[in-house]
Amino acid sequence: DMDALAEATGADYVMYVTSRVTDSKTKRGFWTQRQQETVLFEVLLKKKTEGDFLIDEIYSATGSTSGSHERAFNRAIIEVLGKMEFSKINFTK
């Protein structure tokens, strides 16, 4: 329970994020090899005392790199964080 977690940690807000790879590809060119990771993220953000979630969204992003699958996954995370609109949330105590 997110309210119990907020209470136990003394936090005003709790964020829950899950991620899973929905597609993983290795694409080969003549000289290079590229890794692609399509990742699905479920994000919940809740204020401790309120009933509704401030964020309850599912995001998808594809990270691509000539390095490892881990770097492609990290690029997908950065893309998703850029999609979240934290500036529209009124963070108050």
Side-chain angles (χ1 to χ4, degrees), residues 48-85:
K48 176 172 58 175
T49 59
E50 294 184 12
D52 291 336
F53 290 101
L54 301 172
I55 296 177
D56 183 1
E57 297 289 333
I58 295 176
Y59 300 92
S60 178
T62 300
S64 181
T65 182
S66 59
S68 66
H69 285 282
E70 181 181 356
R71 285 181 60 196
F73 183 83
N74 288 340
R75 288 185 180 187
I77 291 171
I78 291 168
E79 183 180 332
V80 164
L81 289 174
K83 290 179 182 180
M84 291 184 202
E85 297 180 353

Side-chain angles (χ1 to χ4, degrees), residues 24-38:
S24 181
K25 295 180 184 174
T26 300
K27 295 190 173 188
R28 296 187 186 271
F30 187 73
W31 297 105
T32 62
Q33 177 175 309
R34 299 205 49 84
Q35 313 298 331
Q36 282 188 335
E37 297 286 332
T38 302

Side-chain angles (χ1 to χ4, degrees), residues 10 12-13 47 49-50 90-93:
D12 293 322
Y13 296 88
K47 188 173 180 179
T49 59
E50 294 184 12
N90 183 16
F91 289 100
T92 59
K93 281 196 160 202

Side-chain angles (χ1 to χ4, degrees), residues 36-47:
Q36 282 188 335
E37 297 286 332
T38 302
V39 186
L40 191 69
F41 297 89
E42 183 179 356
V43 180
L44 300 171
L45 176 65
K46 186 175 186 311
K47 188 173 180 179

Side-chain angles (χ1 to χ4, degrees), residues 1-15 46 48:
D1 181 54
M2 294 180 77
D3 287 328
L5 178 61
E7 191 66 39
T9 59
D12 293 322
Y13 296 88
V14 176
M15 180 179 268
K46 186 175 186 311
K48 176 172 58 175

